[in-house]
């Protein structure tokens, strides 16, 4: 008989860090009308038909409640030269993140970041329980992408580049 041992959280995080991921900034509008954005690396496609994507947001995130009620969000997939945006949208001050940024307005007033490899404008479909995170499922309603550029990647707790 084999007894399973509890998974050490630090070992779990280290093992997951072996999976290289892209980085995106998810943007939305708070109930008070202010723009919000958060850096994530837990983003993926779910379905082609219908076009669905998902991202995970920690329940402790300052923008957690806004993303739970916002009907729209955008996924801004960052290019290799946008490390500064990844860092900016990881800061604690939610409004400082927007200072001096070039943006356009998408569906539902959601701000879209300039220079990204791709931008997906989504309607929130479902929220699913994911332990200490919530899984936000969205239906893609509009998208743009560019043919050039490399992705901003994250691997073993730091930024990485192709090649």
């Amino acid at each position: 008989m084999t007894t399973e041992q509890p998974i050490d959280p630090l070992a779990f995080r280290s093992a997951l860090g072996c999976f290289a991921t892209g980085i995106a900034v998810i943007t939305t509008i708070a109930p008070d009308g202010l723009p919000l954005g958060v850096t994530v690396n837990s983003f993926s496609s779910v379905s082609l038909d219908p076009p669905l994507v998902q991202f995970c947001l920690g329940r402790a995130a300052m923008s957690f409640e806004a993303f739970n009620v916002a009907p729209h969000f955008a996924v801004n997939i960052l290019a290799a030269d946008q490390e500064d945006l990844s860092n900016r949208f990881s800061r604690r001050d939610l409004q400082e993140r927007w200072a001096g940024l070039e943006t356009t307005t998408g569906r539902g007033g959601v701000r879209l970041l300039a220079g990204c490899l791709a931008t997906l404008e989504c309607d929130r479909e479902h929220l699913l329980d994911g332990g200490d995170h919530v899984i936000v499922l969205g239906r893609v309603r509009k998208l743009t992408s560019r043919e050039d550029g490399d992705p901003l990647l994250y691997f073993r707790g730091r930024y990485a580049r192709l090649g």
Side-chain angles (χ1 to χ4, degrees), residues 26-39:
I26 311 295
T27 54
T28 196
I29 297 293
D32 62 7
L34 291 175
L36 290 175
V38 62
T39 300

Side-chain angles (χ1 to χ4, degrees), residues 28-124:
T28 196
I29 297 293
D32 62 7
L34 291 175
L36 290 175
V38 62
T39 300
V40 303
N41 69 340
S42 58
F43 162 76
S44 69
S45 62
V46 174
S47 168
L48 293 176
D49 185 18
L52 299 174
V53 296
Q54 67 85 28
F55 73 95
C56 299
L57 185 64
R59 293 181 186 278
M62 291 184 294
S63 55
F64 179 78
E65 289 304 321
F67 276 102
N68 272 314
V69 298
H72 308 285
F73 65 89
V75 180
N76 301 271
I77 299 173
L78 300 185
D81 63 355
Q82 293 182 305
E83 191 174 313
D84 61 316
L85 284 178
S86 174
N87 291 330
R88 178 187 284 249
F89 283 93
S90 297
R91 292 184 189 142
R92 301 224 23 103
D93 187 324
L94 297 179
Q95 291 312 307
E96 179 184 294
R97 298 173 181 189
W98 298 98
L101 277 186
E102 179 184 343
T103 63
T104 56
T105 303
R107 288 175 57 81
V110 174
R111 289 205 191 165
L112 311 176
L113 303 176
C116 294
L117 290 180
T119 303
L120 310 171
E121 298 179 57
C122 305
D123 292 343
R124 183 176 46 84

